[in-house]
Structure formats: C-alpha cells, structure tokens
Amino acid sequence: MSNPSLPGGLGALPYVLPIAILALVLFRSARPRILVIERLWVAPALIMTAASLLIFAQGAMSLTGLLLQIVAVLVGAGLGWWRGRLTHLEIDPKTHTLTSKVSPVGLALLGAVFLTRLGLRAVAMSHPAVFHASVGELTDAMLLLAVGLVCAQRLEVWIRARQMLADARGC
C-alpha cells in the first residue's frame, strides 16, 4: 500500500535519494582536494541567492517561522564553523598549493545533519503541529541551516588558508 503523504509513484525515492547524495558527498569529501581560495565565495553566493529567491517568493511568514529561520541560520553557522575548523589544510612550501581534506569528524557531522533532516522531515509529515510552523517555514529553516553551514565553513577555511599562504610567502 502506498504512503498517502507522498505524491503517487514516488515510493522510497524521497528517502533513498538524499542518502545516495550523502554517500556521494561523503565519498568525494574523503579525498584531499586542491583548494583555490579565490573561489571559496562561489558556493556561498549561489546558495544565498537561491535561498533568498525561494524564501522571498513565499511571501510573509509568521513570527514563529521568522524565529525558526533565525535559529536555523545560527545553528547552521555554528555547525559550519565547527566543520571548517575540522577541515585539514596543507600547503606545499615550494608551490604554495593549498589542499584541503575534511576530517572524519567533519564527515560524521555532515552525515548527522542529513540524517537529522530526514528524521525531522518524517516527524513533520506525520505530525505537522509539533513544530508550530507551516511546512514552508520548516522547509525554509532547513534551507537556511544549509546556508549558514556552507557560508561559515567557507569563511573559516578562507581565513585559515589566507593566513597559511601569507606565512608561507613570508608576508
């Protein structure tokens, strides 16, 4: 029998797809990657633009929704700062090439955020009144948690990488 809360024909896709994306992100993040600090602003700019367009398109929100979104950004920023601090940075002393690798704790943190989101989604779908906010406000809050996480992580990595480059160049 199909789940009445899901659109027809989707089945387990809403649960399998995020887990598959998480697995891909975790796999890609486990390897060291060349870090170009001049491009660290791109992902935050894109995600802030997309989030702003989505949130403002929905119109006015309740006070509870606004508070929920503020809390979501702050929690996301805290988690992003922590994940950025856990990112291992190295610099080649000869070429000044920076590489970054997310620590296992940072990967676990990202996995925990994804799994928490899935759990909250399941609770919100089965008991919508628990959060005292509309589905749109809950969706916006999860989106803003991601915005805070990405922006704070990139900022933390940029600050540390810039300092490492300055030290390596003797500036």
Side-chain angles (χ1 to χ4, degrees):
M1 183 149 295
S2 67
N3 184 343
S5 63
L6 294 176
L10 285 180
L13 185 65
Y15 302 102
V16 173
L17 187 61
I19 291 172
I21 291 171
L22 175 62
L24 178 67
V25 168
L26 293 177
F27 176 73
R28 286 191 67 218
S29 297
R31 303 178 297 201
R33 298 171 61 176
I34 293 177
L35 180 67
V36 182
I37 63 172
E38 293 82 12
R39 288 192 219 143
L40 284 174
W41 64 272
V42 174
L46 291 175
I47 195 170
M48 283 191 293
T49 301
S52 298
L53 291 172
L54 289 170
I55 290 169
F56 290 122
Q58 291 186 14
M61 67 183 80
S62 68
L63 180 60
T64 304
L66 180 63
L67 292 173
L68 183 65
Q69 291 180 6
I70 291 169
V71 168
V73 168
L74 293 174
V75 168
L79 292 172
W81 172 82
W82 189 33
R83 188 163 188 255
R85 291 296 300 164
L86 294 171
T87 301
H88 180 70
L89 301 177
E90 286 187 15
I91 188 164
D92 184 312
K94 294 178 184 164
T95 65
H96 297 158
T97 301
L98 284 161
T99 57
S100 68
K101 183 178 178 187
V102 178
S103 75
V105 175
L107 291 174
L109 176 66
L110 186 61
V113 168
F114 264 63
L115 293 175
T116 301
R117 181 196 171 278
L118 284 175
L120 289 174
R121 178 180 177 198
V123 170
M125 301 253 323
S126 60
H127 307 292
V130 169
F131 295 104
H132 304 288
S134 71
V135 173
E137 291 168 343
L138 292 172
T139 302
D140 291 348
M142 292 309 292
L143 180 62
L144 288 173
L145 183 113
V147 168
L149 194 143
V150 169
C151 292
Q153 177 189 358
R154 293 293 178 108
L155 178 62
E156 174 61 28
V157 168
W158 177 77
I159 290 169
R160 290 177 43 224
R162 189 181 59 152
Q163 184 62 48
M164 288 176 73
L165 271 176
D167 292 345
R169 292 178 178 153
C171 298

